[in-house]
Amino acid sequence: MIGDPPMVDIISRSDWNARPPVSRQGTTWDARTEFIVHYSAGPTGQTPRQIQDHHMDGNGWADIGYNYLVDVEGNAYEGRGWLTVGAHAVGHNTSGIGVCFIGSDGDASDAAKTTIAALYNEANRLGGKTLTRRGHRDVNPTSCPGDDLHSWLHNGMPVD
């Protein structure tokens, strides 16, 4: 496990006023092998609902693409959840748990990084194994999750 970040409280879909998904596809912990970090590439003031609206109305997806989202204050938000296939990384949506930092390169605070690391630890605990840490750019041609988060991720996700 990475460092010793605290257990994470997750804000439920109902608490952030999520729209119901058009459809859902489940998966198993056996199929989960990766933890994929993203960024929204927008302002830190974006809300999960704004991201969901863009994914559903702009992209035509069934729901928000990510399994979880984390804001600059370190709040974690339930997206699709642990065992629902995401829409965040082509070819890795079943194997990967997608966690999105709400913001752009260099915006991730220590609180946000601590929460992302806590989500990683929780995924490993729930899955009973160590998931491979990846940035979105490690699996698809993109600059996501930016240089700061990508470097942090591959340097072991250190938290204070």
Side-chain angles (χ1 to χ4, degrees):
M1 303 254 225
I2 302 302
D4 222 1
M7 295 297 292
V8 60
D9 289 323
I10 298 170
I11 298 167
S12 71
R13 291 175 60 92
S14 61
D15 284 343
W16 62 262
N17 196 30
R19 293 162 56 179
V22 173
S23 63
R24 298 190 104 159
Q25 179 185 351
T27 188
T28 64
W29 280 110
D30 286 341
R32 294 293 202 198
T33 59
E34 306 168 289
F35 185 89
I36 302 173
V37 176
H38 301 261
Y39 68 178
S40 67
T44 57
Q46 274 181 306
T47 66
R49 180 59 187 266
Q50 289 170 323
I51 294 169
Q52 182 189 40
D53 287 346
H54 174 71
H55 286 180
M56 294 178 80
D57 300 334
N59 296 351
W61 296 348
D63 196 359
I64 195 166
Y66 308 109
N67 299 96
Y68 293 92
L69 300 95
V70 176
D71 69 18
V72 72
E73 294 174 3
N75 296 306
Y77 300 87
E78 179 185 17
R80 292 190 182 205
W82 295 116
L83 294 178
T84 300
V85 174
H88 58 89
V90 175
H92 298 265
N93 291 317
T94 299
S95 60
I97 296 168
V99 175
C100 178
F101 166 69
I102 301 172
S104 294
D105 191 19
D107 290 339
S109 63
D110 288 344
K113 290 175 179 177
T114 296
T115 298
I116 293 167
L119 286 167
Y120 176 70
N121 285 345
E122 183 66 3
N124 289 333
R125 186 188 72 75
L126 291 169
K129 59 187 169 189
T130 301
L131 301 175
T132 302
R133 296 184 311 266
R134 300 189 192 282
H136 187 192
R137 70 170 70 168
D138 296 321
V139 298
N140 294 144
T142 178
S143 61
C144 179
D147 293 338
D148 176 56
L149 279 173
H150 190 259
S151 175
W152 171 76
L153 182 68
H154 287 289
N155 283 317
M157 299 172 80
V159 296
D160 294 328

